[in-house]
Amino acid sequence: MTRVSPSKPGRDCPLCPRLVAFREEWRAREPSWHNAPVPSFGDADARLLIVGLAPGLRGANRTGRPFTGDYAGDLLYGTLQTYGFARGQFAARPDDGLTLVDARITNAVRCVPPENKPTTAEIATCRQFLSATIAEMPNLRAIVALGRIAHDSVLRALGLKLSAAPFRHGARAQTEPAALFSSYHCSRYNTNTGVLTEAMFHAVFAAVRAEIDSAKEAPTRAAKA
Ligand code: URA
């Protein structure tokens, strides 16, 4: 039997029947792929958590590491390196040696959804893992939500109403236990259509860097407890 930890669904997580069926289909088609819930990447003691939407079919669902193997990852990891949240060589493979620095990446939905579109019920069901992921990070200072779905799911995971912090690119909301920064998702679609430029994305992480650096001397949640 697969063990389910509060923050990490087991490989055969049965909670969303449509996603299970899609996973089974891709296990049969591509047996060498990961084809399972994609675990968070990075240490739980990080001060920054980045929340994406869901694994891309040929990206994280293939490689097993968030944002690894698709265009969205090129922009995300490049930006993280620019702002000191990642080091090493990003080569779009989980064994490329890239490490996150004081940062962790997860997804609002851990399994790949058909056409990259999780249903409202799937997002709500998977939120238990997002909530547990946030709860197990004692030093958390900032959360970056990539896209409206991630943003709304983070708010709900924090026990807040969506009206507490409406989604807007570049917004920062004072939430507990960490400030919530919102960005358009770094998908190829958003960058190709000009909804999100590299400069817009960098501006979000520059603000996050400043937030985390300014918090250097303040006591952490772990120290306060
Ligand atoms: N890859 C992920 O892991 N998450 C996304 O939101 C997009 C691509």
Side-chain angles (χ1 to χ4, degrees):
M1 207 178 89
T2 316
R3 234 185 111 254
V4 178
S5 99
S7 64
K8 187 171 183 263
R11 261 194 78 77
D12 297 313
C13 179
L15 296 178
C16 302
R18 190 182 73 118
L19 302 187
V20 172
F22 196 54
R23 185 170 76 205
E24 291 305 329
E25 179 189 330
W26 280 94
R27 281 184 182 175
R29 284 169 76 160
E30 297 287 351
S32 66
W33 287 10
H34 176 73
N35 289 319
V38 173
S40 305
F41 176 39
D43 292 338
D45 60 7
R47 289 184 294 176
L48 169 62
L49 178 66
I50 297 149
V51 183
L53 168 59
L57 178 63
R58 292 179 172 75
N61 175 64
R62 175 175 58 85
T63 63
R65 193 176 74 179
F67 288 92
T68 298
D70 53 29
Y71 172 83
D74 293 347
L75 179 54
L76 176 60
Y77 285 110
T79 303
L80 291 179
Q81 286 181 310
T82 300
Y83 290 94
F85 292 115
R87 77 172 146 244
Q89 182 69 30
F90 175 67
R93 351 171 359 135
D95 61 355
D96 56 13
L98 181 110
T99 52
L100 295 181
V101 182
D102 211 5
R104 195 180 198 201
I105 307 176
T106 196
N107 280 306
V109 173
R110 302 294 175 89
C111 288
V112 58
E115 287 166 26
N116 221 21
K117 287 194 178 75
T119 64
T120 307
E122 289 159 356
I123 298 162
T125 298
C126 209
R127 190 169 303 123
Q128 61 190 286
F129 301 110
L130 178 60
S131 302
T133 297
I134 293 170
E136 73 182 7
M137 297 184 69
N139 302 318
L140 199 57
R141 297 282 187 192
I143 300 175
V144 176
L146 300 177
R148 184 184 296 272
I149 290 176
H151 171 91
D152 289 356
S153 202
V154 168
L155 282 179
R156 292 215 190 279
L158 297 177
L160 296 170
K161 294 193 172 140
L162 302 191
S163 57
F167 175 79
R168 182 175 58 80
H169 177 84
R172 175 198 180 282
Q174 187 56 60
T175 50
E176 288 298 328
L180 173 60
F181 291 80
S182 307
S183 171
Y184 290 132
H185 192 283
C186 50
S187 65
R188 187 198 294 268
Y189 179 82
N190 278 349
T191 50
N192 278 354
T193 54
V195 167
L196 179 70
T197 62
E198 188 180 81
M200 287 165 70
F201 200 55
H202 277 200
V204 170
F205 281 89
V208 169
R209 181 80 263 170
E211 172 95 21
I212 288 192
D213 287 350
S214 75
K216 246 178 196 152
E217 304 308 326
T220 64
R221 185 149 54 110
K224 274 189 270 179

